[in-house]
Amino acid sequence: MIALGGVSIKFIGCIIVILGTTYMGVYKCFCMQSRVRRLKAFKDTFIMIKGHIGFAGMNMPEIFETISCVAESEHIKEFYKYVSTQLTKKEDIDFYHVWENAVITHIKGVYLNDKDCFVIEKIGRMPVYLDGESQIKVIDMTVFELDRLIENAQEDIKQKGKVYKCLGVMAGIFIVILLI
């Protein structure tokens, strides 16, 4: 056995394997928590949109431009900036197509999963040509669905978070036992 200053290389390898698998478990838990933060950030922006429609009487490109300046996340800022730019430069373009394209290019796969994106895409079906009350109802429905997704994600964290962390440690120990 090769010793390195009194510590065997085999022992160092075992520690590295255990730390690596533990990191994988902690990382999986972190990803679940990040999803909840991202959903809450989108929910906050939808509530801002609702406020701008109901009280400020702004048009959609102005609302999205405003939100792109005040949103917490860079992904969300880029998302709303893109939507605002597209709606401003192409007056005849359909809101749904702009919104859907923004979700696909800026959010889907990079930021949230498919189920989350499906709920967010519902805002694109909002009747922008109708009165503010109808738009607010669509936003309320979407916020309600986001709340449900957030609750489910938080339950998943409670149920699976500790399992992922423990499984990471246990997988590392198991691999070390197999290799020794």
Side-chain angles (χ1 to χ4, degrees):
M1 189 180 316
I2 300 173
L4 191 67
V7 179
S8 74
I9 292 178
K10 202 176 212 182
F11 178 73
I12 293 173
C14 293
I15 297 297
I16 290 172
V17 167
I18 292 173
L19 288 176
T21 57
T22 301
Y23 172 77
M24 288 172 45
V26 171
Y27 178 73
K28 181 67 176 168
C29 187
F30 173 77
C31 289
M32 293 170 65
Q33 292 168 341
S34 294
R35 177 178 171 238
V36 170
R37 284 192 302 275
R38 293 169 178 167
L39 288 171
K40 285 180 179 180
F42 254 108
K43 177 185 166 188
D44 292 344
T45 62
F46 291 161
I47 292 170
M48 283 189 259
I49 293 171
K50 180 178 155 183
H52 286 301
I53 290 171
F55 301 113
M58 300 167 72
N59 65 26
M60 285 299 172
E62 291 173 342
I63 292 172
F64 297 142
E65 180 68 31
T66 303
I67 291 175
S68 73
C69 295
V70 298
E72 296 174 18
S73 165
E74 286 301 315
H75 283 288
I76 293 177
K77 285 181 180 183
E78 291 173 16
F79 173 81
Y80 282 109
K81 184 71 172 170
Y82 173 81
V83 172
S84 172
T85 304
Q86 292 299 312
L87 290 175
T88 302
K89 72 178 176 183
K90 298 179 183 175
E91 291 293 327
D92 61 334
I93 195 161
D94 184 23
F95 174 66
Y96 174 72
H97 290 98
V98 170
W99 187 266
E100 182 182 39
N101 190 34
V103 169
I104 290 169
T105 56
H106 293 281
I107 305 299
K108 196 174 227 173
V110 176
Y111 197 66
L112 293 170
N113 65 31
D114 290 341
K115 188 189 313 182
D116 302 336
C117 289
F118 178 75
V119 171
I120 291 169
E121 282 177 0
K122 289 183 179 183
I123 292 291
R125 295 182 185 95
M126 182 169 54
V128 293
Y129 54 86
L130 292 179
D131 63 322
E133 239 179 82
S134 299
Q135 294 172 349
I136 289 173
K137 287 179 183 178
V138 171
I139 293 170
D140 284 339
M141 179 190 71
T142 306
V143 167
F144 176 76
E145 289 184 48
L146 281 176
D147 281 335
R148 191 173 44 97
L149 285 174
I150 291 168
E151 287 175 17
N152 290 343
Q154 288 173 332
E155 296 234 350
D156 278 351
I157 291 171
K158 287 179 186 173
Q159 293 173 355
K160 298 177 184 174
K162 289 182 182 176
V163 172
Y164 285 136
K165 291 175 186 174
C166 290
L167 192 59
V169 173
M170 297 305 289
I173 293 171
F174 180 72
I175 291 170
V176 165
I177 290 173
L178 285 177
L179 293 176
I180 292 181

